[in-house]
Each structure stands twice: as C-alpha cells, then as structure tokens.
Amino acid sequence: MVQKIALEEHFLSPGLVDYWRPTMTEVAAPAVEQLFQRLTDFGEQRLAVMDKAGISRAVLAIAGPGVQAERDAAKATRLAAQSNDFLAAEMQKRPDRYAGFAHVAVQDARAAADELERCMRELKFCGAMINGHSNGLYLDDKSLAPFWERAEALNAAIYLHPTDPVVPAPVLDGLPALRRATWEWGFETGSHALRLVFAGVFDRHPKARLILGHMGETLPYLLWRFDSRAKLYGVKLSAPPSHYIKRNILVTVSGVFAAEPLYCAVSALGRERVMFAADYPFENAEEAGRFMDTVPLDAELRSQIATANAAKLLGLA
C-alpha cells in the first residue's frame, strides 16, 4: 500500500451546516445523517477510514456550498473566518494527519484576499477551496482581480469545487439521474475553469494555480478542440488555451477511479500535475485508495500522484 496525501476531504463547521443541508434534499434522511456524522467527525472514525485507504494526511475543506450561497457579503466573510478558525483548531489536535484549505467569501474580493493571507500565514493552511460560483459571480469577474493578485503573491493553490448551476440546464429536463454529480456539475465546473482561461485571468496572473477534481472535469480530453475553436473565434490570448490549462491548472482523481481517464490526464497535463484525492465522505475512500494502489503505473509515477505532487504543490512535508 502506497502512502497518500488526500486532497478534497470534506468537513462541516457549525456555522455552515444550514447551507449544506438544503443540498441534500434528494438524499434519504438516514444517509444524510450518516454523511453529517462523518463530516463533523475529526477523530477515530475519520482516521480509521484514512488508515484503511493508506491516507497519511488529508487536506480538509468545507462541504459545499458554504458561504458561496450567502448573499450578504459581510455575513459571508464573517462565517468564512469562523469556519477557518474552527478548522485550524481541529488541525492543531492532529497536525500530523490534517492540513486545510481556507474557506473564502469572494463576494468581497479584498476581504477574501485578506482572509486567504491570514489563513496561509497565521493558520498555516495550504490554499483555498471555492465551491463554484457565488450567487452567479464567477471567478473570472473583473471585480475579483484583488483576490487573484493576492493568491498569486501567496503562491496559493485555489481548488475549484462543483456546485449547482445558476439555472438548471434544460437539456437535462426529465432525466434527473443526469443532474448534479452525474453530469451537470462537471459541465458547470469545467465551464467555470474555461472562463478563467478564455477571459485571460491566467494571462494577467501567470503564476496563479487552479486545481480541478474529477480528472479535470473533462478538460484534458479536449485541449486540441479548445485551441482550434479559440483560433476560429479570434480569442485574444497570449498563447493557446491549452498552454494555460497545462501551466496553471492541476487535477485530482477525486470521484473518477478508472485507469483510462487517469492516463489521459497524465498524458495531456504531465506527470507532475495529477494528484490523489478521496472526496470523503461522498466517495468511498477505501475504493479510492485501492485504485491508487493497484492501477497499472510505474512506481515513480504512482508515488508522484499519491504523495509527491501534492507535497510539493502545497508545501506539505
């Protein structure tokens, strides 16, 4: 069993439970309560699952949507800070096992930048996770320039996590099994990331780093197509879209435990840009661990994906 650093392991802080529960309306009540127990546990239950999966350290992040769903910017900023303080206290109990992604309210870009800096400098977090759009505000919006400037200066990795679209996609009407995690979230999150690329965010902030889960939300599969269509439509960037995807975006295996998409991601982006993630408790962490242990890879690459890439990217010993 190879030892692993797991990105995208979720938790809930007391002040954000009421934002999470409405997202669980389609889940049976007993399953919701089981998820809640796992999301609010930082002790033996979570650690036992980590041990069985070979996870030596987990990078914890708020289960969405968190403050991305709050319309009052001041309240969102306050709740994000409280959540970060809560996580820092839990990390201090087991610094050998837990690291953290900051929760930030980009509804106020400068406040989000300040909170990101506080979390990284004072609380020793290793980046931030943002749960998709914030009431329709996407991360390429020009008002968020102060946030990206600070994230770049801090060398902070920003993990973009899925959320529901502003308006449900009509093409999925009548087929609820295609909504949310099956297809809708991937389309939403991949499109969000492409907004950053095509809007020139990575031209203006060349050292910014974005992480996508689920093997990159299909982006590694379509690099040629993005370059071809950008040229056709006269997109004004300093380089083709694939350049920024390869330079500024990294991906994790969360929720896609299959060899073929892993090989595609490694081939498209490079060996140093793919990392392990368990997506606990929404995915089976033991299954994720077995996949990482058994998928046919050379030993060096397995070690890179399981541990070394995340350790280097996030500054984890």
Side-chain angles (χ1 to χ4, degrees):
M1 178 185 291
V2 63
Q3 289 301 298
K4 308 165 188 75
I5 294 174
L7 283 70
E8 197 182 333
E9 186 163 315
H10 298 286
F11 79 100
L12 275 174
S13 61
L16 297 179
V17 173
D18 289 343
Y19 296 89
W20 173 76
R21 283 197 179 276
T23 70
M24 295 286 109
T25 54
E26 297 176 358
V27 181
V32 172
E33 290 311 307
Q34 185 179 61
L35 286 171
F36 177 76
Q37 291 175 9
R38 292 175 178 174
L39 287 166
T40 53
D41 169 71
F42 298 86
E44 295 309 312
Q45 182 180 16
R46 186 185 292 266
L47 292 169
V49 171
M50 290 169 59
D51 290 342
K52 290 178 182 178
I55 297 170
S56 58
R57 201 164 189 192
V59 185
L60 303 178
I62 277 290
V67 299
Q68 267 68 71
E70 175 55 54
R71 294 190 177 278
D72 184 320
K75 181 179 180 181
T77 298
R78 182 177 69 256
L79 289 174
Q82 291 173 359
S83 177
N84 292 329
D85 289 340
F86 174 84
L87 176 58
E90 294 296 336
M91 288 167 52
Q92 288 173 3
K93 297 174 186 177
R94 293 304 304 262
D96 58 324
R97 303 303 300 271
Y98 297 142
F101 280 130
H103 193 46
V104 295
V106 296
Q107 294 92 321
D108 182 333
R110 293 192 182 279
D114 289 343
E115 180 63 11
L116 176 63
E117 182 163 0
R118 183 182 79 93
C119 286
M120 295 198 68
R121 296 195 186 282
E122 298 179 19
L123 305 184
K124 306 305 179 184
F125 288 9
C126 53
M129 179 179 284
I130 298 175
N131 295 300
H133 65 84
S134 298
N135 300 302
L137 178 71
Y138 287 92
L139 293 175
D140 64 297
D141 193 277
K142 292 182 179 179
S143 68
L144 298 184
F147 175 78
W148 283 112
E149 290 169 3
R150 195 79 59 87
E152 186 178 31
L154 292 166
N155 199 30
I158 307 300
Y159 202 127
L160 179 60
H161 190 266
T163 195
D164 292 332
V166 177
V167 178
V171 69
L172 304 181
D173 286 351
L175 288 170
L178 289 178
R179 293 207 178 276
R180 310 197 83 190
T182 306
W183 181 247
E184 193 172 33
W185 283 349
F187 169 76
E188 168 74 15
T189 310
S191 299
H192 193 162
L194 285 175
R195 290 182 65 96
L196 295 169
V197 173
F198 277 69
V201 171
F202 298 133
D203 255 345
R204 297 188 292 276
H205 306 287
K207 295 183 180 179
R209 299 181 298 173
L210 188 77
I211 304 174
L212 296 175
H214 313 110
M215 295 292 188
E217 312 291 4
T218 73
L219 268 60
Y221 194 76
L222 293 168
L223 298 183
W224 184 94
R225 182 75 173 174
F226 299 144
D227 290 350
S228 171
R229 298 308 91 176
K231 184 177 180 180
L232 175 67
Y233 292 117
V235 175
K236 303 299 182 183
L237 295 171
S238 299
S242 65
H243 168 81
Y244 305 98
I245 296 172
K246 293 177 180 180
R247 186 189 70 185
N248 298 92
I249 295 179
L250 303 97
V251 306
T252 75
V253 307
S254 67
V256 184
F257 307 133
E260 295 84 357
L262 176 61
Y263 299 155
C264 174
V266 170
S267 177
L269 304 181
R271 297 167 66 100
E272 297 182 350
R273 309 193 72 78
V274 182
M275 298 172 288
F276 178 76
D279 204 3
Y280 176 87
F282 303 108
E283 296 286 350
N284 186 315
E286 292 182 57
E287 180 182 1
R290 285 194 299 273
F291 167 70
M292 193 70 255
D293 291 334
T294 60
V295 62
L297 298 170
D298 66 69
E300 181 182 3
L301 179 56
R302 191 185 311 279
S303 178
Q304 281 183 282
I305 295 172
T307 304
N309 290 343
K312 180 179 179 180
L313 173 72
L314 302 177
L316 298 173

